[in-house]
Amino acid sequence: MEDILTQEEIDLLIKAATQPDLELDLETEPESPGSTRYDFSRPNKFSKEHLRALHRIHEQFCRTYAGYMSAKLRHRVDLRVHTIEQILFGDFVRSLPNPSVLSIYQVQPLEGYAIVQFTPDIAFLLHDRLCGGDGVPIRRARSLTDIEVAVLKRQVLSVFSSLLSDAWREVSELNFALDYMENNPQFLQVAADRDAVALITMRFELNEISDMISICLPHRTLEPILKDLTHIRMFESLQQPDPRRIELLKEQVRAAVVPVEVELGQTTVTVGDLLDLAPGDVVVLDRKKHETLDVKIGSMTKFKGTPGRLGTRLGVVITTVLEPEEEGGLVDE
């Protein structure tokens, strides 16, 4: 035999047998250049391709949800994907603060759950804003009252689940249905501690207050559709859009209400002259009567027109449609 133990190695083995608690300083075999370490206690259930697909899905969700909440709260809301990683469910639970605002959704028709976590600061900020306040979180963390939970369910979480279902529709027809809410992370029993989960962390900003919203998707829940969670499938769905969705979007755009204004001209007066104005006074504008008027859609000049009268009503006749580059130069600052 080529590998013969030396006397020193024999002495170490005898000590290890007689003293179990003794730590041996044995040389380990160096790793080969092409090898990589693998931790069997933390198996990789989600590939890089899966994580990239999850990032794309939730980026789309963030844009839609931020736009909806901005209109609802009448204030700019920013929501964007911060990180996507694979961790163990037990690590996710231990990382959550207590109390938290935890919403547990059934992912139909799959057999499993998804967890959405809001911090108390975000929950109280949204509740205050929805109830007419300035949107200021409370100083001391506490659990939500029944009234606060009812407001969040109706005004925030129901829309959250609906738009999240829409974002996943490119991959599979999933329906995220709110099952129940919890405030103590230790009471979450939707997966085992050693189960792998995909954790999507999104940064939420409102009123210069920034915090995180998390979505936890267990591997066991998504396993039946993981084969569809690829860039190829998603790009194919983009190349073949659903005609019904296109018609629905067209109808929504046609039904949108936008302000239209006609600017007769501008002038500058002193505050004294403004206060002395009376019926019959004439204010001279900077535009000649034969010049065309600016027709604005919102704050952007989109058309040129001439004033006129139609019966007893004043009106304007559109004479020119401005090109996009022309519109940019005529935006009212």
Side-chain angles (χ1 to χ4, degrees):
M1 296 178 62
E2 297 180 358
D3 296 334
I4 300 176
L5 297 178
T6 64
Q7 185 61 43
E8 183 180 356
E9 292 172 336
I10 294 173
D11 293 340
L12 286 174
L13 290 175
I14 294 174
K15 287 182 180 180
T18 57
Q19 304 177 22
D21 297 334
L22 180 64
E23 295 183 0
L24 300 180
D25 185 15
L26 299 177
E27 294 183 0
T28 58
E29 183 179 354
E31 296 182 3
S32 60
S35 64
T36 58
R37 291 183 177 273
Y38 185 85
D39 188 352
F40 285 92
S41 65
R42 297 172 179 269
N44 293 323
K45 297 294 186 70
F46 295 95
S47 67
K48 291 183 178 179
E49 189 176 24
H50 292 152
L51 296 180
R52 285 194 293 267
L54 289 173
H55 190 280
R56 182 180 178 280
I57 290 171
H58 291 88
E59 267 191 340
Q60 177 183 342
F61 163 76
C62 286
R63 289 192 295 268
T64 308
Y65 190 71
Y68 177 88
M69 292 304 295
S70 296
K72 193 176 190 65
L73 300 178
R74 298 183 180 275
H75 197 284
R76 178 179 172 80
V77 174
D78 189 16
L79 184 66
R80 59 185 181 276
V81 176
H82 183 63
T83 59
I84 294 183
E85 58 183 336
Q86 174 184 272
I87 63 174
L88 297 181
F89 182 72
D91 294 339
F92 165 69
V93 172
R94 286 186 288 271
S95 69
L96 299 177
N98 186 13
S100 287
V101 181
L102 300 166
S103 307
I104 294 82
Y105 292 88
Q106 289 183 336
V107 186
Q108 302 166 349
L110 304 179
E111 295 182 0
Y113 296 87
I115 303 170
V116 177
Q117 181 257 340
F118 286 74
T119 63
D121 283 350
I122 292 180
F124 288 116
L125 183 150
L126 291 173
H127 178 268
D128 183 62
R129 187 74 185 179
L130 288 167
C131 293
D134 295 329
V136 179
I138 62 174
R139 295 182 179 179
R140 183 177 61 85
R142 63 169 175 81
S143 300
L144 297 176
T145 65
D146 291 343
I147 294 178
E148 290 165 344
V149 169
V151 171
L152 286 178
K153 280 184 177 180
R154 184 177 181 85
Q155 302 293 334
V156 177
L157 298 179
S158 61
V159 178
F160 194 100
S161 61
S162 176
L163 296 181
L164 190 59
S165 300
D166 290 343
W168 273 89
R169 194 154 289 132
E170 295 182 359
V171 178
S172 181
E173 291 287 340
L174 300 183
N175 179 32
F176 290 79
L178 181 63
D179 190 15
Y180 65 96
M181 295 184 66
E182 186 59 71
N183 56 53
N184 190 340
Q186 300 304 319
F187 293 157
L188 291 175
Q189 301 293 331
V190 301
D193 284 353
R194 307 299 300 177
D195 285 352
V197 299
L199 180 62
I200 299 96
T201 305
M202 301 171 291
R203 181 172 294 278
F204 176 91
E205 294 181 4
L206 173 64
N207 282 358
E208 299 182 354
I209 297 173
S210 178
D211 214 329
M212 295 296 183
I213 297 176
S214 300
I215 300 177
C216 174
L217 299 171
H219 175 268
R220 184 177 301 176
T221 300
L222 297 181
E223 188 173 11
I225 62 170
L226 281 181
K227 62 181 181 300
D228 298 329
L229 197 62
T230 62
H231 281 295
I232 297 176
R233 171 67 179 269
M234 298 181 73
F235 280 123
E236 286 178 352
S237 64
L238 286 179
Q239 294 171 358
Q240 300 175 0
D242 187 350
R244 293 173 299 176
R245 292 180 60 82
I246 294 177
E247 290 301 321
L248 179 60
L249 289 174
K250 287 182 178 179
E251 292 177 5
Q252 293 176 343
V253 170
R254 293 190 187 102
V257 178
V258 293
V260 179
E261 299 177 351
V262 179
E263 186 178 280
L264 298 178
Q266 298 181 357
T267 190
T268 302
V269 297
T270 64
V271 175
D273 291 340
L274 182 63
L275 295 175
D276 293 337
L277 285 178
D281 290 345
V282 176
V283 178
V284 180
L285 304 179
D286 61 350
R287 197 180 299 271
K288 306 294 184 181
K289 65 177 182 179
H290 60 274
E291 292 182 10
T292 57
L293 304 179
D294 293 338
V295 182
K296 297 187 175 184
I297 308 298
S299 61
M300 179 174 292
T301 303
K302 180 65 179 176
F303 308 102
K304 290 286 188 177
T306 56
R309 183 184 296 274
L310 182 62
T312 59
R313 296 182 178 182
L314 297 176
V316 63
V317 177
I318 303 297
T319 58
T320 306
V321 178
L322 300 181
E323 298 298 327
E325 57 271 12
E326 296 178 273
E327 297 172 17
L330 294 170
V331 173
D332 185 12
E333 297 293 343

